[in-house]
């Protein structure tokens, strides 16, 4: 194989054509997590998320949110997509396919990256793990599974690499919060969890392979809550036993199962973007504060020629609101004269901070920290101030 990919011929589908085809397909059948019966037994309430029936809460959103900040929460993330990229040119392929440089990360490291369309917009934001010299795991958002896999598979043309969607065979369980390491230590002490290296040596955005009850598990120190925590990848058939073990070891420490509602307020406080809200095909990375993720030092990658936003394009900011009324997605952001200068993408009454917070795209002239703005909350203008992200950072 050559070092550079072969370009598709005019008869082959272009990247954007493939994305359009994926978007036009019929909605998939309802999917259930391999832990669905466990959640039903625990009294979970469910919601549809990207075609999956997933727990939205077990008890209360607030209780689960505070548990993660103070102890730990147990999350089922089995709806996420896991895509294996394997082969002698896997690193070079990912450098071409993604906005970041993945070939240079060490074995056992993880890196946040972006999958861009040729027009420079964001197809998905991803976490990439390097498991071995020529073995990578790409984790995509559930709602973008088909689009991400289609784009990667098309971009693999000309590289000595295989791209396989392993999502249906993989479960993902996250434990997030200050007690999470202690819970895993309990399982290690009881000889149920056996990482290949000491857990104490696993730093943030790194991963270890190992076993749980003698079956393979990938243990990553990553997460989406703003807290220390771990994400564990395991075969779907072994997921219920792992969930039960984590729940039993965590119960004396105040660990509770947590649903998507608390995960959303946790990630919002941590200033983490959510695809479909802060990120999308009409968003360029620099607008979302993700310019650092894009390696413009690379000569070629998909989307490079169109990655820069237009002059005057709106940028993502944090807003702290007065009172108790939360701003929601699509609410207008106003300047002092009442003119619309932006739009809210995510908002909630922050359980940790005790006041409403929001993320919004605003005109550059209204983006400086300290700028006084307003949010139109159902006809009432609520005073808001531009603040630095994240809203919350663990001490």
């Amino acid at each position: 194989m050559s070092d550079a990919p072969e370009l598709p011929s005019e008869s082959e589908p272009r990247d954007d054509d493939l994305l359009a085809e994926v978007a036009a397909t019929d909605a998939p059948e309802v999917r259930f997590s391999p832990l669905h019966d466990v959640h039903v037994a625990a009294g979970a309430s469910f919601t549809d998320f990207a075609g999956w029936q997933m727990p939205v809460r077990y008890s209360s959103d607030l209780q689960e949110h505070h548990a993660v900040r103070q102890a730990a929460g147990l999350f089922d993330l089995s709806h996420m997509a896991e895509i294996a990229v394997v082969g002698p040119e896997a690193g070079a392929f990912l450098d071409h396919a993604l906005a970041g440089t993945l070939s240079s990360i060490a074995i056992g490291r993880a890196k946040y990256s972006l999958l861009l369309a040729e027009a420079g917009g964001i197809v998905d934001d991803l976490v990439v793990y390097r498991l071995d010299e020529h073995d990578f795991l790409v984790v995509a958002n559930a709602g973008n599974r088909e689009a991400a896999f289609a784009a990667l598979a098309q971009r693999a043309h000309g590289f000595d690499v295989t791209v396989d969607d392993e999502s249906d065979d993989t479960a993902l369980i996250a434990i997030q919060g200050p007690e999470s390491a202690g819970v895993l230590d309990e399982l290690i002490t009881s000889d149920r969890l056996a990482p290949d290296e000491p857990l104490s040596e696993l730093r943030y955005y790194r991963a270890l392979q190992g076993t749980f009850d003698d079956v393979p598990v990938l243990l990553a120190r990553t997460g989406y809550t703003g807290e220390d925590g771990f994400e564990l990848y395991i075969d779907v058939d072994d997921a219920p036993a792992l969930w039960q073990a984590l729940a039993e070891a965590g119960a004396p420490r105040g660990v509770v199962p947590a649903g998507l509602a608390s995960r959303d307020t946790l990630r919002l406080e941590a200033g983490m973007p959510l695809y479909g809200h802060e990120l999308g095909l009409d968003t360029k990375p620099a607008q979302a504060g993700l310019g650092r993720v894009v390696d413009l030092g690379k000569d070629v990658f998909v989307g490079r020629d169109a990655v820069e936003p237009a002059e005057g394009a709106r940028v993502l900011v944090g807003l702290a609101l007065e009172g108790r009324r939360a701003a929601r997605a699509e609410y207008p952001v106003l300047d002092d004269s009442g003119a619309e200068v932006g739009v809210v993408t995510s908002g909630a009454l922050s359980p940790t901070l005790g006041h409403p917070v929001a993320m919004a795209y605003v005109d550059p002239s209204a983006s400086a920290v300290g700028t006084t703005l307003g949010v139109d909350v159902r006809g009432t203008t609520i005073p808001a101030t531009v603040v630095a992200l994240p809203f919350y950072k663990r001490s």
Side-chain angles (χ1 to χ4, degrees):
M1 293 290 179
S2 63
D3 292 335
E6 298 176 18
L7 296 177
S9 69
E10 292 183 0
S11 63
E12 292 177 313
R14 298 290 294 180
D15 204 51
D16 291 341
D17 295 333
L18 284 170
L19 296 177
E21 290 177 13
V22 169
T25 57
D26 293 335
E29 295 182 6
V30 176
R31 296 172 176 172
F32 296 94
S33 161
L35 297 166
H36 185 75
D37 290 344
V38 175
H39 303 319
V40 171
S45 300
F46 293 88
T47 188
D48 176 83
F49 189 89
W52 290 76
Q53 283 294 298
M54 298 301 295
V56 66
R57 68 182 58 83
Y58 298 81
S59 55
S60 78
D61 304 348
L62 283 176
Q63 179 182 339
E64 293 165 21
H65 181 108
H66 289 310
V68 174
R69 292 278 183 251
Q70 299 165 8
L74 198 55
F75 295 89
D76 178 10
L77 307 180
S78 299
H79 57 310
M80 299 289 282
E82 292 85 17
I83 301 169
V85 176
V86 181
E89 295 184 324
F93 157 67
L94 289 171
D95 288 349
H96 166 74
L98 304 182
T101 298
L102 287 306
S103 61
S104 62
I105 64 173
I107 296 171
R109 298 287 184 94
K111 188 170 187 176
Y112 178 80
S113 195
L114 298 171
L115 178 68
L116 302 181
E118 291 178 357
I122 300 171
V123 177
D124 200 14
D125 62 330
L126 316 159
V127 175
V128 181
Y129 300 94
R130 188 169 203 160
L131 307 182
D132 210 333
E133 185 67 24
H134 306 301
D135 186 354
F136 294 78
L137 175 66
V138 177
V139 181
N141 286 296
N144 292 329
R145 172 181 172 179
E146 287 79 11
F149 178 70
L152 291 172
Q154 190 275 332
R155 295 175 192 187
H157 182 77
F159 286 97
D160 188 2
V161 66
T162 59
V163 179
D164 293 319
D165 186 349
E166 299 183 341
S167 307
D168 290 339
D169 299 320
T170 308
L172 172 55
I173 298 172
I175 182 166
Q176 299 282 302
E179 292 290 335
S180 57
V183 173
L184 295 185
D185 281 334
E186 294 276 352
L187 297 187
I188 293 170
T189 301
S190 63
D191 292 328
R192 300 198 68 183
L193 182 64
D196 288 348
E197 297 177 20
L199 188 67
S200 59
E201 297 181 8
L202 185 62
R203 299 179 183 176
Y204 189 53
Y205 259 67
R206 297 190 182 186
L208 289 173
Q209 301 194 58
T211 60
F212 169 76
D213 286 350
D214 297 323
V215 299
V217 64
L218 178 67
L219 177 60
R221 201 160 202 161
T222 48
Y224 192 57
T225 63
E227 296 294 339
D228 185 23
F230 302 85
E231 295 179 319
L232 295 91
Y233 298 82
I234 195 167
D235 187 273
V236 292
D237 292 336
D238 301 299
L242 176 59
W243 177 279
Q244 189 65 27
L246 291 166
E248 290 177 356
R253 296 173 175 266
V255 179
V256 302
L260 294 181
S262 62
R263 191 167 185 256
D264 191 49
T265 52
L266 289 159
R267 71 91 193 169
L268 175 57
E269 289 182 348
M272 295 179 170
L274 176 64
Y275 197 91
H277 288 251
E278 288 73 43
L279 307 178
L281 285 171
D282 57 351
T283 307
K284 302 293 180 70
Q287 292 178 261
L290 297 175
R292 68 190 185 282
V293 179
V294 180
D295 184 359
L296 293 175
K298 296 191 296 182
D299 292 335
V300 178
F301 62 87
V302 177
R304 190 189 192 286
D305 293 341
V307 74
E308 294 296 336
E311 184 176 354
R314 288 177 170 176
V315 295
L316 187 67
V317 300
L319 297 176
L321 283 70
E322 296 182 7
R324 303 283 292 178
R325 297 182 67 182
R328 302 299 184 188
E330 304 300 329
Y331 284 9
V333 179
L334 313 173
D335 66 11
D336 289 339
S337 70
E340 184 172 332
V341 294
V343 62
V344 172
T345 53
S346 298
L349 177 61
S350 167
T352 303
L353 304 177
H355 62 77
V357 297
M359 288 194 281
Y361 277 98
V362 301
D363 295 342
S365 59
S367 65
V369 171
T371 302
T372 300
L373 299 171
V375 178
D376 184 345
V377 180
R378 298 184 180 180
T380 300
T381 300
I382 305 298
T385 302
V386 177
V387 298
L389 293 171
F391 303 105
Y392 164 87
K393 188 174 183 179
R394 70 177 183 267
S395 56

